[in-house]
Amino acid sequence: MTEGTADRATTTGGPTRRRALILGGALALAPLPAEAAPVTGRHTLRHGSAARAGLLPAPLRQLVTDAEAFLRPSPKHPWYAGAVLLAGRGGTVALHRPIGMAVRYRAYDEKTDTGIEFPPGEQIPMAEDTVFDLASVSKLFTSLLAVQQMERGKLELEAKVAAYLPDFGRAGKQDITIRQLLTHTSGFRAWIPLYSAPTYEEKLQRIWDEAPVSAPGTAYLYSDLNLISLQLVVERITGRPLDTLLREEITAPLGLHRTRYNPPASWRPKIAATEDARKPWSGLDRGLVWGEVHDENAFGLGGVAGHAGVFSDAWDLAVLARTLLNGGVYGRARILEPESVELMFTDFNTAFPGDEHGLGFELHQHWYMGAMATPRSAGHTGFTGTSLVLDPSTDSFLVVLGNSVHPVRSWRSGSAPRVAAANNLARAVPVRPARGRTAWFSGMAVSATATLALPALDTSSGGARLRCALWWDTEPKADVLVLEATTDGGTSWRPVPFTTSRRGEDPRQHPSGSVSGWSGRVWHRLTAELPAARALAVRWRYATDRLYVGRGVYVDGLRVEAADGVLFDEARPADASRVEAAGWAPSAD
């Protein structure tokens, strides 16, 4: 059972490395540009205000409001019975809020498509420290353990898996590498029912006999088998089972006391229930799964698996996020070197655009990271309704833990609550105006077109030039900002090419008069040569599709100059009042 990007595989090209070099099992990196340098501060977490975190309070309040909406029909059933939301920046957790119920239903009635609730006195509300079955978020812990072994020289990223597990090399898998397991480019299909094999040895035999569905390195296909195989490698080279490794190498050093495989029975009242697991929607007839791993294959492997099985709470995941944003250290404990963390946040799947992936971490995925998505934003989701997102560009982190398969997996689809939460946290990170007190902001609405228009100007003398400051971060290709002009009162508009520049970089030409995607979340200086006309109107037009958005667009300091003087200056109140904004609004973040 998986949740991820398995349906977005591509089939051309091969994986390339951008900065990583593996030298005899040791890690080394080529020099990084300044904006990509790993964060190495030693923040430790504490609860605090939005202001202390450098966040705007209103979007954080909206984050909770939007999350609570998914406790109601979305559109027919609740997306989750409850959730725990945690958001922070730097060393401050500015939001830590439980909503809804951790345990609500005792069963699912498939005939009426309804949940059969426990009596009110037996239902359990969510709490800040409710523990969740993380499902595929567990893959991050396996990946961390593997990278630790690379640091120690026991594992090589480019080595073949069969070098550590000779039986793995059967059925065309002899050339699969450790990197391909970590980046889901091995060619494994998404999933096979290992749980149906009666013994552990027979489960392993199914992995040994499994043939790739595509040649290794030629396609991206998200697969649980990759991390199960990586588990077997790590256990073989260390001589320790995965749950012991997790405890000794990660949770004990970091003080993650609520993170483990196979939680004891005493934890059950503090664990969010998952599914009424019965055939045909589940592979196994287990009844209400509560306090045991939900994933069938992880259950069949005794609850300890590389792809699923870890239980944790929001605070422990925030500590893990902070550790990675710190460059591998938390307080006095170091679990990874900064260079290793950089590898985990480096895209190894440049041959597969849209399926960006570091070592274990997914990167730049708007489908659940929403407006937090950047080329270096890292995270993962879990089938049970869990997710973790880290944004190094703003030093922010988001944990959304929901029991979205309670009482049954068919009640939810998509990742709308995750996207809404990420959009709100992204909006909570302020964008200060380039000049003055406010800048024009496009907003972050989907399926929208917003325009910001200057009044008609007489540029007939020639040499007119538009100058302004521009900040943009949009869903690449899908959401586009265009500068365009009209000479016929708006009957027809034509793109206006422009140039952007920022400190330390060469100017960039935009001959199409448009921008889209990631720009570093910094202000750029913009210059555009305007055509000569007696009544030339210029506008910005920002259009978004129906799916996801980025952080949006800001424009500031609009000014039009010509040889015979200044034609428009937003700094002059009379000129500013002539700007026509539809969907744009002044923002003083």
Side-chain angles (χ1 to χ4, degrees):
M1 186 186 335
T2 65
E3 178 174 76
T5 51
D7 60 335
R8 296 183 297 135
T10 51
T11 56
T12 59
T16 61
R17 292 177 295 171
R18 292 168 57 193
R19 308 187 190 102
L21 303 172
I22 305 303
L23 303 174
L27 304 181
L29 289 174
L32 303 175
E35 70 174 8
V39 178
T40 56
R42 292 179 179 245
H43 289 300
T44 55
L45 294 180
R46 59 178 175 174
H47 288 97
S49 65
R52 180 181 289 276
L55 297 170
L56 303 173
L60 292 184
R61 292 192 295 268
Q62 190 63 45
L63 190 159
V64 176
T65 299
D66 288 349
E68 289 175 334
F70 291 100
L71 296 170
R72 301 186 291 274
S74 310
K76 182 179 180 182
H77 298 291
W79 199 87
Y80 39 40
V84 179
L85 316 165
L86 187 149
R89 190 182 187 197
T92 302
V93 172
L95 172 67
H96 192 181
R97 184 74 61 85
I99 61 173
M101 305 303 292
V103 181
R104 180 176 176 180
Y105 305 99
R106 61 179 176 86
Y108 168 69
D109 184 345
E110 67 271 27
K111 293 181 180 179
T112 60
D113 190 25
T114 57
I116 303 171
E117 296 187 353
F118 281 104
E122 297 179 27
Q123 297 183 26
I124 301 175
M126 286 290 181
E128 287 185 351
D129 60 350
T130 295
V131 171
F132 287 77
D133 176 346
L134 298 183
S136 285
V137 175
S138 306
K139 292 179 170 70
L140 300 181
F141 291 95
T142 308
S143 302
L144 287 165
L145 292 168
V147 174
Q148 286 180 334
Q149 296 307 312
M150 293 178 199
E151 284 188 348
R152 297 167 192 176
K154 294 184 177 181
L155 185 64
E156 295 185 24
L157 187 58
E158 296 300 340
K160 295 177 181 179
V161 178
Y164 306 98
L165 301 171
D167 288 336
F168 181 89
R170 302 176 191 168
K173 301 192 299 299
Q174 66 276 2
D175 292 328
I176 293 175
T177 66
I178 299 297
R179 172 170 57 83
Q180 290 165 353
L181 297 182
L182 282 161
T183 59
H184 295 282
T185 55
S186 67
F188 268 132
R189 55 176 159 163
W191 176 87
I192 59 175
L194 294 175
Y195 59 84
S196 64
T199 67
Y200 181 75
E201 290 71 22
E202 288 173 284
K203 291 177 175 61
L204 294 185
Q205 190 66 44
R206 290 193 178 184
I207 296 174
W208 309 150
D209 293 341
E210 179 71 12
V213 295
S214 59
T218 64
Y220 174 90
L221 178 58
Y222 180 89
S223 173
D224 287 350
L225 297 176
N226 288 315
L227 274 294
I228 295 173
S229 300
L230 188 64
Q231 169 194 0
L232 299 175
V233 171
V234 172
E235 290 181 334
R236 175 69 61 85
I237 63 178
T238 64
R240 290 178 285 172
L242 194 65
D243 54 347
T244 300
L245 286 166
L246 177 69
R247 181 178 67 253
E248 294 179 349
E249 303 290 353
I250 298 177
T251 63
L254 296 180
L256 307 184
H257 302 301
R258 307 287 285 178
T259 304
R260 59 170 294 164
Y261 288 100
N262 288 328
S266 61
W267 283 27
R268 193 169 187 256
K270 296 294 293 183
I271 296 176
T274 55
E275 189 174 35
D276 179 8
R278 289 182 283 120
K279 295 179 179 179
W281 57 87
S282 173
L284 296 170
D285 286 317
R286 299 170 60 193
L288 179 63
V289 179
W290 177 15
E292 291 184 318
V293 64
H294 173 258
D295 182 272
E296 294 95 335
N297 279 341
F299 179 75
L301 290 167
V304 180
H307 71 295
V310 176
F311 286 71
S312 188
D313 70 0
W315 185 266
D316 276 10
L317 287 180
V319 171
L320 179 67
R322 186 66 263 160
T323 301
L324 295 170
L325 290 169
N326 284 349
V329 64
Y330 188 83
R332 296 181 179 181
R334 177 172 291 283
I335 63 168
L336 286 176
E337 294 300 321
E339 294 83 3
S340 301
V341 176
E342 180 62 27
L343 277 179
M344 302 190 85
F345 289 3
T346 294
D347 181 20
F348 284 78
N349 284 359
T350 54
F352 311 113
D355 294 314
E356 292 85 348
H357 220 287
L359 299 185
F361 280 87
E362 298 170 335
L363 306 175
H364 206 194
Q365 298 298 312
H366 284 83
W367 68 271
Y368 70 92
M369 297 179 181
M372 289 183 70
T374 77
R376 290 174 50 76
S377 292
H380 216 287
T381 62
F383 186 83
T384 51
T386 58
S387 63
L388 172 68
V389 181
L390 295 72
D391 178 9
S393 73
T394 60
D395 203 27
S396 59
F397 48 93
L398 174 67
V399 180
V400 177
L401 300 180
N403 53 351
S404 65
V405 297
H406 184 55
V408 69
R409 67 191 69 187
S410 60
W411 274 18
R412 73 98 202 270
S413 64
S415 282
R418 296 167 175 144
V419 171
N423 285 350
N424 281 306
L425 180 54
R427 181 66 184 92
V429 178
V431 177
R432 305 300 184 193
R435 304 179 183 89
R437 296 182 178 180
T438 63
W440 290 103
F441 176 44
S442 66
M444 296 169 58
V446 298
S447 299
T449 299
T451 58
L452 181 70
L454 300 187
L457 303 172
D458 185 353
T459 60
S460 59
S461 61
R465 178 175 295 178
L466 168 69
R467 299 182 187 274
C468 67
L470 180 64
W471 189 108
W472 75 94
D473 172 34
T474 78
E475 185 189 1
K477 298 181 181 179
D479 300 341
V480 180
L481 174 73
V482 180
L483 178 64
E484 51 193 10
T486 181
T487 58
D488 56 15
T491 301
S492 60
W493 294 85
R494 294 184 178 181
V496 177
F498 57 85
T499 301
T500 58
S501 60
R502 55 182 289 193
R503 184 175 300 177
E505 292 187 1
D506 293 333
R508 291 178 54 197
Q509 305 296 324
H510 303 269
S512 65
S514 65
V515 292
S516 181
W518 167 253
S519 72
R521 287 188 177 171
V522 297
W523 285 99
H524 295 247
R525 297 181 297 275
L526 178 142
T527 304
E529 305 293 335
L530 300 180
R534 291 201 173 274
L536 179 77
V538 178
R539 73 178 184 186
W540 291 106
R541 178 172 53 83
Y542 178 51
T544 61
D545 70 358
R546 64 180 183 85
L547 292 178
Y548 317 112
V549 293
R551 182 58 176 78
V553 179
Y554 290 79
V555 174
D556 198 6
L558 290 159
R559 181 181 173 94
V560 179
E561 303 168 342
D564 52 357
V566 176
L567 303 182
F568 179 90
D569 190 343
E570 189 184 7
R572 299 186 302 213
D575 282 355
S577 65
R578 300 168 66 197
V579 176
E580 295 183 4
W584 295 69
S587 173
D589 287 1

